[in-house]
């Protein structure tokens, strides 16, 4: 595999496939923004595409998570908007992600409103908890999210949701 370092790369890579393109999404710079590259193979060559998300409120870090649900794309990230929030007390937010016909991603607009789930309303942050490095997968009709807890116990929380807005903690991994 070719060695490739994305432009401005800092941490928190997220790789996924949509249609015929692979996306490498990551935290860039300091304070962090979210940037991305695309390729037709997970081995590259990768093409830098630009910024998806600008700096967030009250935190020097932000990390991405992207998932499709009922025909829409969602962009999860963290910021410091908790009442006592900051760099190491972050909240999970979600906003819509939009693709152009050529597969490029439009810049995410960070909102307080968040997204509108099928059965009600959701507002950012959707989770008042420090979930800094969220990773989301789908198994059947259930979504699972995990997160690092670098400086706290009880380890790696595992959460579950049916609608990407209402989450419950179901277990922990160490």
């Amino acid at each position: 595999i070719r060695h490739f370092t994305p432009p401005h790369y800092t941490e928190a890579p997220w790789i996924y496939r949509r249609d015929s393109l692979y996306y490498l999404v990551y935290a860039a710079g300091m304070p962090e923004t979210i940037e991305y590259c695309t390729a037709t193979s997970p081995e590259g060559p990768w093409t830098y595409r630009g910024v998806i998300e600008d700096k967030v409120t009250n935190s020097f870090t932000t990390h991405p998570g992207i998932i499709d649900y009922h025909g829409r794309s969602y962009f999860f990230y963290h910021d410091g908007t908790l009442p006592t929030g900051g760099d190491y007390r972050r909240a999970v937010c979600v906003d819509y992600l939009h693709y152009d016909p050529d597969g490029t991603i439009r810049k995410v607009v960070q909102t307080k409103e968040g997204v509108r789930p099928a059965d009600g309303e959701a507002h950012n942050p959707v989770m008042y908890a420090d979930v800094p490095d969220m990773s989301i997968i789908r198994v059947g009709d259930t979504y699972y999210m995990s997160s690092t807890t670098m400086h706290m116990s009880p380890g790696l929380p595992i959460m579950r949701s049916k609608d990407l807005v209402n989450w419950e903690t179901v277990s922990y991994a160490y």
Side-chain angles (χ1 to χ4, degrees):
I1 296 177
R2 295 179 200 101
H3 175 15
F4 173 74
T5 301
H8 320 122
Y9 178 83
T10 302
E11 60 182 347
W14 180 270
I15 297 176
Y16 68 100
R17 182 177 169 194
R18 181 176 184 271
D19 298 328
S20 62
L21 281 178
Y22 288 86
Y23 292 79
L24 170 58
V25 180
Y26 55 92
M30 194 59 68
E32 292 174 344
T33 60
I34 301 299
E35 301 185 15
Y36 79 110
C37 301
T38 61
T40 56
S41 162
E43 296 180 4
W46 292 92
T47 302
Y48 177 74
R49 297 294 182 184
V51 175
I52 296 176
E53 178 195 45
D54 288 326
K55 298 170 191 167
V56 297
T57 302
N58 202 30
S59 179
F60 70 85
T61 128
T62 184
H63 295 164
I66 296 171
I67 197 115
D68 289 337
Y69 177 72
H70 289 275
R72 303 251 357 217
S73 295
Y74 298 88
F75 181 79
F76 286 81
Y77 58 98
H78 67 247
D79 69 12
T81 59
L82 289 169
T84 59
D87 294 331
Y88 296 104
R89 186 160 170 75
R90 298 157 288 195
V92 175
C93 299
V94 60
D95 281 301
Y96 294 110
L97 183 73
H98 301 282
Y99 296 89
D100 286 323
D102 65 356
T104 55
I105 298 173
R106 295 182 201 159
K107 191 178 280 188
V108 169
V109 176
Q110 298 172 31
T111 69
K112 290 191 187 306
E113 295 79 26
V115 299
R116 184 173 177 87
D119 60 353
E121 283 191 40
H123 300 283
N124 281 330
V126 294
M127 197 179 301
Y128 282 85
D130 190 15
V131 184
D133 299 317
M134 75 286 300
S135 182
I136 304 168
I137 63 167
R138 184 181 68 174
V139 179
D141 65 347
T142 304
Y143 291 84
Y144 294 90
M145 179 190 303
S146 65
S147 172
T148 60
T149 53
M150 297 173 279
H151 56 289
M152 296 181 288
S153 288
L156 177 80
I158 309 295
M159 296 155 277
R160 125 178 107 204
S161 173
K162 294 287 187 178
D163 63 5
L164 294 174
V165 172
N166 299 295
W167 294 91
E168 66 175 331
T169 301
V170 295
S171 189
Y172 290 90
Y174 291 92

PDB file of all heavy atoms in Angstrom, residues 2 31 78 85 124 168:
ATOM      1  N   ARG A   2       0.509   2.218  -0.789  1.00  0.00           N
ATOM      2  CA  ARG A   2       1.265   3.460  -0.862  1.00  0.00           C
ATOM      3  C   ARG A   2       1.136   4.236   0.445  1.00  0.00           C
ATOM      4  O   ARG A   2       0.090   4.274   1.067  1.00  0.00           O
ATOM      5  CB  ARG A   2       0.702   4.349  -1.972  1.00  0.00           C
ATOM      6  CG  ARG A   2       0.844   3.792  -3.339  1.00  0.00           C
ATOM      7  CD  ARG A   2       0.206   4.777  -4.329  1.00  0.00           C
ATOM      8  NE  ARG A   2      -0.073   4.069  -5.539  1.00  0.00           N
ATOM      9  CZ  ARG A   2      -1.271   3.611  -5.886  1.00  0.00           C
ATOM     10  NH1 ARG A   2      -2.309   3.815  -5.145  1.00  0.00           N
ATOM     11  NH2 ARG A   2      -1.435   2.949  -7.005  1.00  0.00           N
ATOM     12  N   PRO A  31      -6.474  25.121  15.912  1.00  0.00           N
ATOM     13  CA  PRO A  31      -7.666  24.353  16.203  1.00  0.00           C
ATOM     14  C   PRO A  31      -8.127  23.568  14.976  1.00  0.00           C
ATOM     15  O   PRO A  31      -7.905  23.981  13.840  1.00  0.00           O
ATOM     16  CB  PRO A  31      -8.711  25.377  16.610  1.00  0.00           C
ATOM     17  CG  PRO A  31      -8.003  26.698  16.732  1.00  0.00           C
ATOM     18  CD  PRO A  31      -6.683  26.558  16.064  1.00  0.00           C
ATOM     19  N   HIS A  78     -18.154  16.767  17.467  1.00  0.00           N
ATOM     20  CA  HIS A  78     -18.268  17.266  18.834  1.00  0.00           C
ATOM     21  C   HIS A  78     -17.808  18.718  18.905  1.00  0.00           C
ATOM     22  O   HIS A  78     -17.009  19.166  18.096  1.00  0.00           O
ATOM     23  CB  HIS A  78     -17.527  16.373  19.846  1.00  0.00           C
ATOM     24  CG  HIS A  78     -16.045  16.357  19.709  1.00  0.00           C
ATOM     25  ND1 HIS A  78     -15.354  15.250  19.311  1.00  0.00           N
ATOM     26  CD2 HIS A  78     -15.114  17.305  19.941  1.00  0.00           C
ATOM     27  CE1 HIS A  78     -14.067  15.517  19.309  1.00  0.00           C
ATOM     28  NE2 HIS A  78     -13.894  16.749  19.681  1.00  0.00           N
ATOM     29  N   GLY A  85     -18.951  23.413  29.066  1.00  0.00           N
ATOM     30  CA  GLY A  85     -18.141  22.764  28.042  1.00  0.00           C
ATOM     31  C   GLY A  85     -16.824  23.444  27.761  1.00  0.00           C
ATOM     32  O   GLY A  85     -16.575  24.575  28.178  1.00  0.00           O
ATOM     33  N   ASN A 124     -29.146  20.331  18.778  1.00  0.00           N
ATOM     34  CA  ASN A 124     -27.745  20.159  19.142  1.00  0.00           C
ATOM     35  C   ASN A 124     -27.463  20.834  20.458  1.00  0.00           C
ATOM     36  O   ASN A 124     -27.977  21.920  20.703  1.00  0.00           O
ATOM     37  CB  ASN A 124     -26.837  20.736  18.046  1.00  0.00           C
ATOM     38  CG  ASN A 124     -26.717  19.775  16.892  1.00  0.00           C
ATOM     39  OD1 ASN A 124     -26.800  18.570  17.074  1.00  0.00           O
ATOM     40  ND2 ASN A 124     -26.521  20.302  15.703  1.00  0.00           N
ATOM     41  N   GLU A 168     -28.802   5.237  23.994  1.00  0.00           N
ATOM     42  CA  GLU A 168     -28.703   4.653  25.327  1.00  0.00           C
ATOM     43  C   GLU A 168     -27.401   3.894  25.431  1.00  0.00           C
ATOM     44  O   GLU A 168     -26.939   3.267  24.468  1.00  0.00           O
ATOM     45  CB  GLU A 168     -29.888   3.730  25.621  1.00  0.00           C
ATOM     46  CG  GLU A 168     -29.920   2.482  24.741  1.00  0.00           C
ATOM     47  CD  GLU A 168     -31.030   1.521  25.124  1.00  0.00           C
ATOM     48  OE1 GLU A 168     -31.432   1.476  26.305  1.00  0.00           O
ATOM     49  OE2 GLU A 168     -31.504   0.815  24.228  1.00  0.00           O
TER      50      GLU A 168
END
